[in-house]
Amino acid sequence: MAKRGFFLISFFTCCAIFTACAVQESKSEVPIPENKVPTATLIKVETSPTPQPADKVLTHKPELSVTLSQAIQVFEPISPLEGILPEELKQIVSNPFLMPTEGQDDGHHGTDFSFYSFGKFSSIDNLGVVSIFPGKVSAVISDRPPYGNAVIIETNLKNLSDDYLSLLDSLDLDETIRHKSNLNCPDYSQEILEFSKTEESLYVLYAHLKNEPQLELSAQVDQGQVIGNVGNTGMSGNSHLHLEMRIGPTNATFPQMAHYDNSVTTLEMANYCLWRVSNYFKLFDPMRFFDISQTKP
Ligand SMILES: [Zn+2]
């Protein structure tokens, strides 16, 4: 499970379905959940380059129908802030996302939400922070730089609705893994090579929370579950929520993560580098998820 006590990641014992494997081989495509595989893709995957006897083709069809009949619940994102609607989020962006230079820790890797007065609220401080999707806790960070108190929650892409999978596909995220950065990083190249990319998940980070997160690593979280309160911990100048989204291999966990402080351990730093600059966890603007929810009828 642990790779040299470094970066915890579980491998899928095999390619869960041949469609997922096939998709992985084509660059930059988000894996398609088995219950969402378009008919066209199924035909493409099932059709062998050499003609197959009719009975061989037929033997595959029942397996496909079984796969397609497995119901997987899909979700659309909700607002990460209690009492603030998704369509209101753009009004309280205090620092927008700014894509970093390739492999560097510059730019702004997320969206900051803050206000002094909004609607019935006189301050964002202590406002409840909720999980925008159901998922699994991948990181519990207790007052470490730069994120302060923070939580990362993983949601398998198969649990996202078609609209959001299409959106992710349209972003055409850069797939290049980076081993070098201006950021001071321990060598993580070997760990990256060992990762499985059979399936991918959405990872959402909620940072600068007021209190130490009361969640266990790998615990299941419901959509809308309160995971903390807006605070001002870590490298933060005022109470705000830093929301960050990435697409990465499933079942990754970061038991520790930190940087920018003399107290950080090699392990914390390596995990920070993997998260921030390796591009194994592909970054995108979280507001894209809330734009789409506003334009839908
Ligand atoms: Zn931020």
Side-chain angles (χ1 to χ4, degrees):
M1 198 164 114
K3 294 190 184 310
R4 294 190 281 166
F6 184 92
F7 177 82
L8 285 173
I9 183 160
S10 300
F11 289 84
F12 279 79
T13 51
C14 61
C15 289
I17 51 166
F18 58 86
T19 46
C21 298
V23 169
Q24 280 303 320
E25 286 164 10
S26 63
K27 178 224 160 256
S28 83
E29 285 188 37
V30 175
I32 302 172
E34 54 265 47
N35 70 328
K36 295 176 172 301
V37 177
T39 308
T41 305
L42 279 178
I43 291 169
K44 182 181 171 188
V45 172
E46 279 297 283
T47 303
S48 169
T50 47
Q52 296 292 315
D55 60 338
K56 174 125 186 175
V57 174
L58 285 171
T59 56
H60 281 203
K61 290 193 173 176
E63 294 172 24
L64 284 173
S65 64
V66 168
T67 301
L68 291 168
S69 69
Q70 291 172 346
I72 294 176
Q73 203 173 357
V74 297
F75 296 85
E76 300 194 347
I78 63 168
S79 167
L81 292 165
E82 273 192 317
I84 308 284
L85 298 170
E87 57 267 31
E88 293 174 328
L89 289 171
K90 65 182 176 195
Q91 300 174 51
I92 59 166
V93 172
S94 55
N95 188 13
F97 174 87
L98 179 62
M99 187 62 92
T101 314
E102 290 182 3
Q104 307 305 324
D105 204 30
D106 56 12
H108 184 221
H109 291 221
T111 300
D112 290 349
F113 301 103
S114 185
F115 57 81
Y116 291 105
S117 175
F118 186 79
K120 65 182 179 183
F121 302 107
S122 58
S123 165
I124 196 171
D125 188 64
N126 211 36
L127 193 64
V129 176
V130 304
S131 181
I132 67 172
F133 285 107
K136 186 170 72 170
V137 177
S138 331
V140 179
I141 302 166
S142 295
D143 200 19
R144 301 296 286 142
Y147 289 130
N149 295 316
V151 175
I152 299 176
I153 295 175
E154 172 194 1
T155 303
N156 194 301
L157 291 185
K158 68 175 66 166
N159 296 118
L160 270 57
S161 71
D162 286 341
D163 287 338
Y164 292 87
L165 291 175
S166 299
L167 168 68
L168 289 172
D169 205 26
S170 73
L171 297 178
D172 198 21
L173 298 176
D174 180 11
E175 301 272 343
T176 311
I177 303 301
R178 300 195 171 84
H179 303 273
K180 299 218 180 305
S181 173
N182 289 341
L183 188 64
N184 182 19
C185 288
D187 180 20
Y188 53 77
S189 57
Q190 191 55 43
E191 280 70 17
I192 284 178
L193 291 174
E194 291 173 2
F195 289 164
S196 166
K197 288 202 73 179
T198 307
E199 286 189 43
E200 286 188 308
S201 291
L202 169 71
Y203 290 84
V204 183
L205 180 146
Y206 307 80
H208 311 302
L209 302 175
K210 189 173 263 311
N211 305 306
E212 291 194 8
Q214 301 300 304
L215 291 167
E216 298 289 329
L217 206 58
S218 300
Q220 293 296 319
V221 171
D222 294 330
Q223 184 176 44
Q225 181 176 332
V226 176
I227 54 175
N229 297 82
V230 175
N232 188 25
T233 55
M235 293 167 66
S236 167
N238 63 312
S239 280
H240 73 282
L241 173 67
H242 171 97
L243 184 73
E244 193 171 314
M245 291 188 185
R246 298 176 191 265
I247 303 297
T250 53
N251 291 327
T253 55
F254 302 86
Q256 306 171 55
M257 184 191 292
H259 212 302
Y260 301 114
D261 187 303
N262 289 336
S263 71
V264 299
T265 65
T266 302
L267 185 60
E268 286 180 316
M269 202 183 293
N271 280 336
Y272 182 84
C273 290
L274 279 170
W275 174 254
R276 296 275 293 202
V277 300
S278 73
N279 204 42
Y280 219 87
F281 296 85
K282 296 164 285 185
L283 183 68
F284 65 96
D285 181 354
M287 287 309 286
R288 296 299 299 263
F289 268 22
F290 300 108
D291 291 342
I292 190 175
S293 62
Q294 291 166 45
T295 53
K296 284 176 65 179

